[in-house]
Amino acid sequence: SYVLTQPPSVSVGPGQTARFTCGGNNLGRKSVHWYQQKPGQAPVLVVYEDSDRPSGIPERFSGSNSGNTATLTISRVEAGDEADYYCQVWDYPSDHVVFGGGTKLTVL
Amino acid sequence: QVQLEQSGAEVKKPGASVKVACKASEHTFTGFDFHWVRQAPGQGLEWMGWINADSGGTKYAQRFQGRVTMTRDTSISTAYMDLTRLRYDDTAVYYCARGTGVALIYYYMDVWGEGTTVTVS
């Protein structure tokens, strides 16, 4: 089955840029989606189809996908961005959903 | 505003079954798929499967095959997830989420329920 690999943690200071990577075989050929999950809350979609933002998500959140790596970037990081971030793809032809293991963002 | 409302917390004994409900707000059920995702304490998101609200067709993750059944009742815009032969490691928060996208290979989950805590003890 398809595997997505994420680093366990990322730490940045307020106002800096946080980058989250998601690795997978030929990932650039798939559509990658990103979710933010704060403690005790349900996940929230922050980027879909590699780089699109749902309404209500700040422009500080952006995404890219090429080769074997997708990247979620948060610019001008705020304390309120502290959360776990998960990448997700649809695996074809199994028609299964695959999540990465998640990356915890710590704002120093 | 689109919402998914889930049933309340459950405490079950090992070997028992649990059925979790997920009710969609009006006009947000048919035409969509509904996924079930669980999260054990301190762990990541684990996809369990999905059901098509129109056809009732399902697809389950291999590790849950034979133990999970997903159904829906279109008359009340509600999806259900039934997990049998519960084990201690089934203790988790169970989320339902609406799947959407221009085609399956682009599918993502745009609306999530608040989660239902299932404790096996």
Side-chain angles (χ1 to χ4, degrees):
Chain A
S1 60
Y2 196 78
V3 175
L4 293 174
T5 301
Q6 297 184 251
S9 63
V10 166
S11 299
V12 298
Q16 294 186 322
T17 298
R19 293 181 178 86
F20 306 83
T21 59
C22 176
N25 187 40
N26 289 320
L27 185 57
R29 297 183 181 181
K30 296 182 180 294
S31 186
V32 180
H33 321 293
W34 292 89
Y35 303 88
Q36 175 194 67
Q37 186 182 33
K38 296 181 179 180
Q41 298 184 18
V44 172
L45 180 72
V46 292
V47 166
Y48 66 99
E49 295 179 11
D50 296 340
S51 59
D52 289 337
R53 279 186 316 277
S55 61
I57 300 301
E59 291 183 6
R60 301 185 297 109
F61 289 77
S62 62
S64 63
N65 183 19
S66 178
N68 294 319
T69 304
T71 303
L72 170 71
T73 301
I74 308 176
S75 304
R76 302 180 299 282
V77 165
E78 303 171 356
D81 297 330
E82 218 171 58
D84 294 323
Y85 291 84
Y86 295 90
C87 57
Q88 175 249 308
V89 298
W90 186 277
D91 185 36
Y92 181 82
S94 68
D95 284 345
H96 284 191
V97 167
V98 178
F99 285 103
T103 298
K104 181 177 181 60
L105 171 65
T106 299
V107 181
L108 301 171
Chain B
Q1 183 180 355
V2 176
Q3 287 185 321
L4 298 177
E5 185 177 347
Q6 296 188 222
S7 50
E10 303 264 13
V11 179
K12 297 290 183 180
K13 294 190 181 302
S17 298
V18 69
K19 191 168 187 174
V20 181
C22 171
K23 181 173 176 58
S25 54
E26 195 172 351
H27 306 309
T28 63
F29 193 68
T30 52
F32 293 97
D33 299 323
F34 289 85
H35 297 254
W36 291 90
V37 177
R38 77 177 188 179
Q39 187 171 39
Q43 302 301 308
L45 302 176
E46 180 177 29
W47 180 75
M48 300 180 68
W50 60 279
I51 181 167
N52 180 278
D54 293 328
S55 68
T58 56
K59 184 78 75 165
Y60 304 136
Q62 191 160 8
R63 66 169 293 180
F64 298 105
Q65 289 276 3
R67 282 210 304 143
V68 71
T69 303
M70 296 177 188
T71 57
R72 93 285 189 224
D73 185 338
T74 56
S75 68
I76 55 172
S77 300
T78 300
Y80 302 94
M81 188 282 299
D82 196 339
L83 189 62
T84 62
R85 303 194 302 278
L86 289 169
R87 307 186 294 247
Y88 293 115
D89 62 359
D90 290 317
T91 293
V93 177
Y94 289 75
Y95 294 101
C96 65
R98 189 179 76 170
T100 191
V102 295
L104 279 181
I105 61 171
Y106 299 105
Y107 256 43
Y108 54 91
M109 300 169 204
D110 64 342
V111 182
W112 292 68
E114 75 272 31
T116 296
T117 299
V118 175
T119 303
V120 183
S121 176

